[in-house]
Amino acid sequence: MDYRKLLSLAEEAKERSYSPYSGFRVGAAILTTDGKVITGANVESATYGATICAERAAVVRAVSEGHRDFEAIAVASDAKEGSFPCGICRQFLAEFGIGIKVITGKAEGEIQVNTVADLLPFAFTGKELPGREKE
Ligand code: THU
């Protein structure tokens, strides 16, 4: 799928954001390697800390529906030129592959394509853990 189209689906998902505290809407659209798109939006909590970002919402939905292989994720936000995933989301995405492409920007403007590895250098991937060195 065209990454500009994926970003436009993230922009649509942003409309479903639940963000009464920050007023900052974020949407994400994750593309599986078999061509399916699953979206997510940020869901805030009155406790603030329990807030779920759009990127993690999309990943959790996708994994819960049986998908684990991802090609790309597009992120749309209310920021004028779009914005990048937060640190927690970068780590959460790395769980499923540091090669996943992260598409940011605006569907009708400039877009950027970076891998999770670009955004999370020297990533802790879990292969450092005892018994997992071969992965
Ligand atoms: N947010 C996301 O959904 N994704 C990010 O990568 C950055 C931050 C949300 C969390 C919170 O609801 C709002 O944006 C302001 O931080």
Side-chain angles (χ1 to χ4, degrees):
M1 167 180 286
D2 173 41
Y3 290 157
R4 216 171 262 286
K5 168 73 183 162
L6 192 65
L7 194 50
S8 76
L9 295 173
E11 288 174 353
E12 274 178 43
K14 187 188 80 167
E15 301 298 316
R16 298 187 284 274
S17 161
Y18 174 76
S19 43
Y21 303 104
S22 73
F24 187 72
R25 299 171 306 162
V26 186
I30 193 160
L31 176 65
T32 67
T33 51
D34 56 358
K36 292 193 182 64
V37 176
I38 293 116
T39 60
N42 57 327
V43 180
E44 296 188 344
S45 162
T47 64
Y48 289 50
T51 291
I52 309 282
C53 292
E55 298 89 326
R56 278 177 290 139
V59 170
V60 167
R61 281 192 67 208
V63 173
S64 301
E65 289 176 12
H67 305 289
R68 290 185 185 177
D69 298 318
F70 306 115
E71 176 184 326
I73 183 168
V75 183
S77 83
D78 278 338
K80 195 159 165 272
E81 288 168 11
S83 54
F84 285 88
C86 78
I88 294 175
C89 289
R90 293 177 196 204
Q91 184 67 45
F92 204 74
L93 287 164
E95 185 68 29
F96 297 95
I98 55 170
I100 297 170
K101 296 187 185 82
V102 179
I103 320 304
T104 50
K106 295 281 170 182
E108 305 224 327
E110 297 234 339
I111 72 165
Q112 296 90 37
V113 182
N114 291 282
T115 63
V116 171
D118 294 330
L119 301 180
L120 192 66
F122 308 106
F124 184 87
T125 62
K127 66 179 188 314
E128 303 82 350
L129 296 170
R132 305 194 70 111
E133 298 88 348
K134 291 208 179 76
E135 288 183 21

